[in-house]
Amino acid sequence: MARILVTDDAAFMRMQLKDIVTKLGHEVVGEAENGQVAVDMYQEVKPDLVTMDITMPEMNGVEALKEIKKLDADAKVIMCSAMGQQGMVVEAIQAGAKDFIVKPFTADRINEALSKAL
Amino acid sequence: MDTNDYIEIFLDESNEHLQAVNDQLLKLEKQSDDLSIVNEIFRSAHTLKGMAATMGYEDIASLTHNMENVLDKIRNSSLHVTTEVIDVTFAAVEALEEMVESIAGGNEGKKDVRDLIARLEAIENGKQPEEEVPVAAKATTQENLELDEYQLTVLDQAKEQGFEAYQMEVALDEGCILKAARAYMVVEAVEQHGEIIKTSPPVEELEAGEVDRFSLIVLTKSPAAEVKQSVHNVSEVESAEISPYVTVKEEAVLATEEIAATKEEAPTEAKQESHKAVTSKTIRVNLERIDDLMNLFEEVVIDRSRLEDLASEIKNEALQDTVEHMSRVSEDMQSLILTMRMVPVEQVFNRFPRMVRGLAKDLNKNLELEIIGADTELDRTVIDEIGDPLVHLIRNSIDHGIESPEQRKKAGKAEKGSLILRAFHSGNHVFIEMEDDGAGINREKVAAKAIENGVLTEAQLEKLTDQEVNELILASGFSTAETVSDISGRGVGLDVVKNKIESLGGKLSIESTQGKGSKFSIQLPLTLSILSTLLVDVSKEIYAIPLSSIIETLMIDEKEIMDAHGQRVIDFRGNIIPIVSLRKVFNIEETETNNSTDQAIVVVKKGNKLTGILVDSFIGQKEVVLKALGAYLKDVFAISGATILGDGRVALILDPNALVK
Amino acid sequence: MKDVRKFIVFTLKNQSYGVDVSQVHSIERLQKVTEVPRTASFIKGVIYLRGNTIPVIDLRERLWIGQTDTTDESRFLIVEIKGMQVGLLVDAANEVLDIGAEAIEPPPEMIAGVEARYLEGVAKLKDELLILLDLEHILDMEEVQEVKQAIN
């Protein structure tokens, strides 16, 4: 079981992710609605893994990933992306993201990503 | 997962985002270069897409997905914000609102969005053909990859240093969506073990996406199983096979040379063919370059006429034949260059659907706009100028033509009015017609107004045909609308439209049947660059007068010019028309006195007013290439441009409209 | 020397003037000018040059220092400001000079009858003064429009 921080600007997406992740036997230790909040919470709750939406207000997912990597070079971050964000995803991988999942999410895909990353 | 639990929050957030998109779009329309607005819209579209896809609302998801693609290209500056982009996005938002509403009403939120998607895709791809990513053929070759000389050298050296070469075949999951990013992760995983010296298809294609199977050659000191495992550690990898790489050279030791040779040839040929298949037949050329080409070409034309003169002086038959041939060829070249400047009228028409929608709403009219022949091509210069007159005519039709739904019902018509915008080619002209099934022109009302305004007497009016009465509404200061509305009652009448069209060398005519509707017909020249003119001479300066405004040329005796209240006039077919001397208007000094009592007069018309322009003599008719006078000399009185004569001299083109009193 | 600029040097009324070489498109011999009626009197008309019609102005008249009588030495200096080409009628075009920034001084209120607002500065050369023109101001559209309105 891993402790997970879920980041997405849509409350709806956070609820959904939380649902899936919990059913897979993990614990959601925090929810962040933008990149800045995610960075702040990362320091606070020290999760095992972060799911990070790319398109968000304040600070986008890729910037937040870079910030978190500065705080903790070993941080495990999985990007949540939508179709058509290839460039951003590649940038995130270069910046050290472990994996990415594409919306709409399936439990299988999330399971694969989590088990490979952890 | 039971999505019903989330439907409320989904609806709330969706509506929030749709409202945001709406607001931002309106802003964007005013500040089309502000990318931060595009970003806002993109983010909302993006969030909507994610939520809708999860909830299984596929139509919303696919529409927002296409919106996002277009917006993303704008963010990356590979597309620009055009009215088409705004229009389509507005239409898409409308469709989305409908779908969300339907979901709120307990329905499935389904809607046929294919048309919108096609339009978005057209924007995304159509206007950027060079960016179109050809759907790469699946890399099916399980055969050995070929290496070039350089790669072979690298490979040889690496082997000497104890590296092993492996070829890997990687297949991604069928459902994998961001294939390029996934391929990138695979490449990165392999590169932790060594150097990749080749991929097939090439890296560029992998990065462009759409490739779900690829091969690569890696030089590494790690065991094959380890390399394979790290690829398997990447998500969405269906399979990864690894085998030692054998070069063609090494293979050739086993096979005959002939076989190796055919092997080498086959893939190259196939590649060339597939390359040909995706090559587009059109290229994009900057308009400036075409103008430059046209300018250079005009130099040739000028030299050509010099050559023609020389050839006829020298009277050498072979030379004359050659020059004649050159003339024909250069005429063909000229028309070819002119066609390069042609663009579809669609560019102008595109903004009308939304405008009509808005106007209909504002004026409580119910109507449908049909556009026919949007692919009709017109000279770029005309396209730039024709928009405003068309807007005015459309406003006029919706405001004064199409009746309110109640009135239409009373008149036994369908409640929904129809407005047809039609463009087509005919001969050397392009026609744009605007036809409505509205009230038509009311002869009595127009007649009453004309008499009230003192345009005509009752006696004159009775002689007029319906057609002539219709055209009265194009006279200046004419407005029959009983109530002045915001839309077309701005004190700017249809006369402005008519003048604008005439200044473009075109004609505006009206057909109308009371109670049935009206048709405004605009006839435009195919190109503005070439103008049919009459060359005239005034004190040795040559002026060109556009034929489109000339009614007749006259040679009359000086005595026939009369004086009426300080204004010189002549009797032209029973009408008294004023005479304007070009010499006087332009303050041209007299170089030699004209001893002849014959006076050369060009009768021109503006609307239904005639004026005679007094010149020294007529030179003849000539097709001239129109040149702008440029920014430094803009708005020169009665001059619309310049042209270059055969001897390289500049002749000014007259704007007769300015001379008609 | 740092900050050296190149200037095209030409004469008007026996006085040397300079314009930055980057603003000069070409130097042309005189050719037939087609008068454009009802424009400012310093606008001599238009000429045809490589596919374009270019307005030409009498620089003396523009600077309010008289009128030019053309000679064999007279030239059109074709300059380009903000994408707009204009021909300047000058008495003669002489040479290209390198002038260090330190040799350029702000213009006095009036020099050789030319007002300071048309000038960028004055450069002191060995035996004479070179008056550097501010073409942007000389070709300023607003002033041209004002002049035109005054006529019409």
Side-chain angles (χ1 to χ4, degrees):
Chain A
M1 188 194 90
R3 300 170 64 254
I4 293 173
L5 168 63
V6 173
T7 315
D8 199 306
D9 59 330
F12 167 80
M13 296 304 307
R14 293 200 300 274
M15 279 175 74
Q16 206 220 352
L17 262 174
K18 188 175 177 179
D19 207 21
I20 297 175
V21 167
T22 315
K23 280 181 184 155
L24 289 170
H26 302 286
E27 181 195 355
V28 172
V29 292
E31 291 181 35
E33 67 269 21
N34 66 47
Q36 187 56 56
V37 175
V39 174
D40 296 343
M41 280 180 105
Y42 187 84
Q43 282 170 291
E44 210 176 291
V45 302
K46 298 263 182 274
D48 298 323
L49 186 140
V50 183
T51 73
M52 182 74 76
D53 187 23
I54 289 182
T55 318
M56 288 184 297
E58 301 290 335
M59 182 189 280
N60 76 30
V62 179
E63 286 166 47
L65 162 73
K66 288 176 184 166
E67 287 303 310
I68 290 174
K69 279 284 178 183
K70 273 186 215 161
L71 298 171
D72 176 3
D74 295 328
K76 295 187 172 97
V77 180
I78 291 177
M79 306 308 287
C80 300
S81 134
M83 288 175 267
Q85 289 188 305
Q86 202 104 242
M88 297 287 267
V89 171
V90 170
E91 198 191 332
I93 303 288
Q94 281 167 340
K98 282 282 169 200
D99 200 347
F100 62 87
I101 47 182
V102 182
K103 296 173 191 174
F105 304 139
T106 64
D108 281 350
R109 225 357 243 123
I110 292 173
N111 192 23
E112 184 193 12
L114 290 179
S115 49
K116 282 188 170 165
L118 289 167
Chain B
M1 179 177 76
D2 190 359
T3 47
N4 283 335
D5 299 350
Y6 307 125
I7 201 143
E8 264 187 40
I9 188 164
F10 166 80
L11 288 173
D12 278 356
E13 290 202 354
S14 297
N15 283 325
E16 246 176 60
H17 283 291
L18 283 173
Q19 188 55 47
V21 173
N22 246 323
D23 297 346
Q24 297 298 331
L25 268 177
L26 289 170
K27 265 201 223 164
L28 187 63
E29 208 168 13
K30 293 190 190 99
Q31 303 152 250
S32 61
D33 50 1
D34 190 343
L35 289 187
S36 70
I37 300 175
V38 178
N39 257 322
E40 291 286 329
I41 301 173
F42 176 88
R43 239 188 39 226
S44 292
H46 179 78
T47 307
L48 273 169
K49 177 175 84 173
M51 296 192 299
T54 310
M55 299 288 287
Y57 299 127
E58 282 163 18
D59 291 341
I60 297 183
S62 59
L63 189 53
T64 43
H65 173 63
N66 282 286
M67 270 170 76
E68 215 189 292
N69 286 349
V70 169
L71 292 164
D72 195 45
K73 284 206 167 174
I74 295 172
R75 288 203 305 182
N76 300 328
S77 301
S78 56
L79 264 184
H80 295 288
V81 177
T82 59
T83 36
E84 167 71 358
V85 170
I86 303 233
D87 283 350
V88 177
T89 316
F90 259 121
V93 170
E94 265 179 26
L96 291 172
E97 281 168 348
E98 272 180 51
M99 289 187 272
V100 171
E101 237 175 71
S102 134
I103 293 165
N107 300 312
E108 289 174 337
K110 283 208 178 298
K111 187 171 164 62
D112 187 350
V113 291
R114 280 174 299 188
D115 181 46
L116 280 168
I117 287 176
R119 283 171 72 189
L120 286 165
E121 278 173 351
I123 294 175
E124 195 196 339
N125 303 319
K127 294 188 179 166
Q128 299 271 318
E130 71 274 18
E131 289 210 354
E132 226 175 283
V133 179
V135 179
K138 285 186 183 175
T140 48
T141 42
Q142 294 294 323
E143 290 175 3
N144 274 353
L145 295 174
E146 311 270 320
L147 293 180
D148 62 29
E149 281 301 316
Y150 171 73
Q151 289 160 337
L152 283 171
T153 322
V154 172
L155 186 131
D156 285 344
Q157 280 175 359
K159 283 192 169 176
E160 276 169 28
Q161 290 165 14
F163 284 89
E164 273 306 314
Y166 294 104
Q167 176 163 346
M168 289 194 79
E169 308 289 339
V170 181
L172 301 178
D173 271 353
E174 229 173 284
C176 174
I177 295 164
L178 301 184
K179 297 192 175 82
R182 201 51 80 187
Y184 179 88
M185 286 185 76
V186 170
V187 167
E188 201 185 49
V190 174
E191 271 176 343
Q192 282 174 353
H193 297 280
E195 189 192 352
I196 296 177
I197 56 170
K198 165 116 189 161
T199 69
S200 170
V203 176
E204 296 80 34
E205 271 178 50
L206 291 181
E207 282 174 359
E210 304 315 321
V211 179
D212 50 14
R213 273 167 192 280
F214 56 95
S215 327
L216 56 86
I217 298 171
V218 60
L219 303 175
T220 175
K221 284 182 177 172
S222 305
E226 227 171 80
V227 179
K228 187 175 166 180
Q229 187 52 47
S230 39
V231 172
H232 271 298
N233 276 346
V234 175
S235 295
E236 292 182 290
V237 170
E238 189 191 18
S239 69
E241 295 305 327
I242 189 162
S243 55
Y245 177 72
V246 187
T247 61
V248 176
K249 206 167 67 187
E250 289 160 333
E251 207 177 9
V253 179
L254 306 170
T256 67
E257 276 181 25
E258 226 173 312
I259 294 170
T262 38
K263 257 194 178 174
E264 220 161 7
E265 261 168 39
T268 0
E269 241 171 57
K271 239 184 216 163
Q272 274 172 354
E273 260 173 40
S274 67
H275 188 72
K276 256 183 219 155
V278 298
T279 311
S280 158
K281 291 213 169 173
T282 56
I283 54 164
R284 284 149 54 96
V285 182
N286 190 319
L287 194 64
E288 268 177 35
R289 284 204 192 168
I290 295 180
D291 286 344
D292 287 348
L293 177 62
M294 189 75 179
N295 285 338
L296 286 175
F297 183 74
E298 278 158 21
E299 306 249 316
V300 175
V301 171
I302 288 165
D303 288 345
R304 182 189 75 193
S305 45
R306 281 188 192 147
L307 265 180
E308 280 168 357
D309 292 347
L310 287 174
S312 62
E313 273 172 36
I314 295 167
K315 294 199 168 65
N316 175 315
E317 208 173 302
L319 178 62
Q320 274 174 325
D321 282 354
T322 313
V323 170
E324 205 173 287
H325 181 249
M326 184 185 146
S327 300
R328 279 201 306 273
V329 171
S330 57
E331 267 160 34
D332 289 349
M333 275 174 71
Q334 189 172 38
S335 54
L336 213 60
I337 297 171
L338 284 175
T339 57
M340 287 186 202
R341 295 178 47 93
M342 305 292 269
V343 282
V345 72
E346 198 175 6
Q347 287 192 0
V348 182
F349 284 8
N350 274 344
R351 62 171 144 145
F352 293 147
R354 211 180 127 243
M355 186 189 97
V356 168
R357 200 175 58 221
L359 280 177
K361 236 181 237 168
D362 292 347
L363 292 165
N364 292 319
K365 303 275 168 92
N366 187 357
L367 73 140
E368 196 167 307
L369 173 70
E370 189 185 349
I371 291 179
I372 299 168
D375 54 352
T376 309
E377 289 186 330
L378 257 172
D379 188 281
R380 176 60 195 263
T381 346
V382 186
I383 292 274
D384 290 344
E385 298 286 326
I386 197 66
D388 287 347
L390 283 177
V391 166
H392 207 97
L393 284 178
I394 290 177
R395 285 181 162 161
N396 183 69
S397 273
I398 298 177
D399 199 5
H400 305 314
I402 306 272
E403 314 91 327
S404 68
E406 302 79 52
Q407 282 169 321
R408 291 183 66 90
K409 217 172 170 182
K410 259 188 230 159
K413 291 179 173 179
E415 273 183 47
K416 193 171 215 160
S418 129
L419 186 61
I420 300 170
L421 190 57
R422 191 185 294 116
F424 58 93
H425 266 173
S426 177
N428 262 335
H429 290 94
V430 169
F431 290 83
I432 298 178
E433 293 180 347
M434 234 195 47
E435 193 174 348
D436 67 54
D437 67 345
I441 295 172
N442 185 324
R443 183 177 169 126
E444 282 70 47
K445 229 194 250 180
V446 171
K449 188 85 178 181
I451 293 167
E452 185 190 317
N453 288 3
V455 179
L456 288 168
T457 65
E458 231 162 300
Q460 280 173 313
L461 201 67
E462 268 169 30
K463 282 186 241 161
L464 294 187
T465 64
D466 281 354
Q467 173 72 19
E468 285 165 327
V469 172
N470 291 344
E471 310 234 319
L472 281 176
I473 69 166
L474 301 176
S476 68
F478 207 93
S479 175
T480 57
E482 284 145 358
T483 53
V484 173
S485 69
D486 283 348
I487 307 302
S488 49
R490 296 174 187 218
V492 184
L494 288 174
D495 57 321
V496 175
V497 174
K498 186 176 158 74
N499 289 344
K500 180 79 203 179
I501 287 164
E502 282 173 357
S503 78
L504 292 173
K507 283 185 191 142
L508 174 64
S509 59
I510 309 173
E511 284 168 43
S512 181
T513 313
Q514 201 172 329
K516 292 264 172 68
S518 312
K519 182 159 98 182
F520 289 81
S521 190
I522 302 170
Q523 180 190 331
L524 290 164
L526 264 186
T527 167
L528 275 192
S529 310
I530 299 230
L531 208 61
S532 295
T533 63
L534 174 71
L535 296 185
V536 299
D537 173 86
V538 181
S539 287
K540 297 206 169 144
E541 291 280 7
I542 294 171
Y543 294 91
I545 306 177
L547 282 187
S548 56
S549 38
I550 298 179
I551 298 280
E552 214 175 309
T553 56
L554 308 169
M555 288 297 287
I556 61 168
D557 194 89
E558 210 172 18
K559 279 176 283 185
E560 289 180 47
I561 301 180
M562 301 167 285
D563 197 81
H565 311 292
Q567 166 71 56
R568 298 214 289 166
V569 296
I570 56 165
D571 182 342
F572 177 66
R573 300 176 193 286
N575 286 319
I576 299 296
I577 67 167
I579 295 294
V580 172
S581 160
L582 213 51
R583 188 191 300 273
K584 281 196 182 136
V585 171
F586 286 166
N587 300 318
I588 304 169
E589 283 165 41
E590 210 153 335
T591 45
E592 58 197 71
T593 38
N594 191 352
N595 293 325
S596 149
T597 57
D598 277 349
Q599 300 286 326
I601 289 172
V602 183
V603 180
V604 296
K605 126 187 135 136
K606 174 193 177 189
N608 40 20
K609 287 183 185 152
L610 303 180
T611 289
I613 299 175
L614 185 63
V615 300
D616 283 1
S617 62
F618 309 128
I619 296 170
Q621 198 175 320
K622 189 168 163 58
E623 308 268 301
V624 301
V625 178
L626 180 71
K627 301 252 161 212
L629 275 181
Y632 196 71
L633 287 177
K634 64 177 180 195
D635 304 328
V636 175
F637 174 74
I639 301 293
S640 61
T643 188
I644 317 302
L645 301 175
D647 60 0
R649 262 205 295 167
V650 180
L652 298 176
I653 298 170
L654 220 59
D655 172 15
N657 281 342
L659 297 175
V660 176
K661 294 191 170 169
Chain C
M1 220 194 314
K2 52 174 187 172
D3 287 341
V4 173
R5 288 167 64 193
K6 283 186 189 299
F7 286 88
I8 300 263
V9 177
F10 60 89
T11 7
L12 276 186
K13 272 184 141 180
N14 299 320
Q15 163 67 45
S16 292
Y17 290 82
V19 292
D20 197 301
V21 80
S22 65
Q23 295 177 320
V24 179
H25 204 263
S26 61
I27 297 166
E28 305 286 336
R29 287 180 181 279
L30 296 195
Q31 51 170 295
K32 159 92 173 109
V33 176
T34 299
E35 267 187 57
V36 182
R38 294 177 76 153
T39 47
S41 73
F42 61 80
I43 297 178
K44 292 290 108 184
V46 287
I47 57 168
Y48 174 72
L49 199 66
R50 288 179 281 277
N52 293 309
T53 58
I54 296 175
V56 290
I57 68 177
D58 182 340
L59 194 53
R60 282 201 197 189
E61 268 189 80
R62 181 69 190 93
L63 299 173
W64 310 94
I65 54 170
Q67 256 184 308
T68 305
D69 289 317
T70 56
T71 67
D72 278 354
E73 296 288 297
S74 301
R75 293 287 181 274
F76 288 131
L77 207 63
I78 311 294
V79 298
E80 187 166 336
I81 299 290
K82 295 174 184 162
M84 187 170 75
Q85 284 188 11
V86 177
L88 306 177
L89 176 59
V90 300
D91 290 351
N94 307 331
E95 56 182 332
V96 180
L97 268 188
D98 286 336
I99 297 175
E102 73 285 347
I104 301 174
E105 287 174 14
E109 269 190 23
M110 177 89 99
I111 184 166
V114 181
E115 290 172 43
R117 61 193 167 123
Y118 299 128
L119 304 179
E120 190 201 320
V122 176
K124 288 206 173 78
L125 304 181
K126 264 171 278 165
D127 43 8
E128 63 168 344
L129 276 180
L130 184 66
I131 302 174
L132 305 178
L133 294 177
D134 177 357
L135 285 183
E136 284 204 24
H137 193 97
I138 289 169
L139 301 180
D140 183 52
M141 294 300 293
E142 271 174 39
E143 205 178 311
V144 174
Q145 292 295 330
E146 276 168 31
V147 173
K148 202 169 89 185
Q149 271 156 20
I151 295 167
N152 291 341

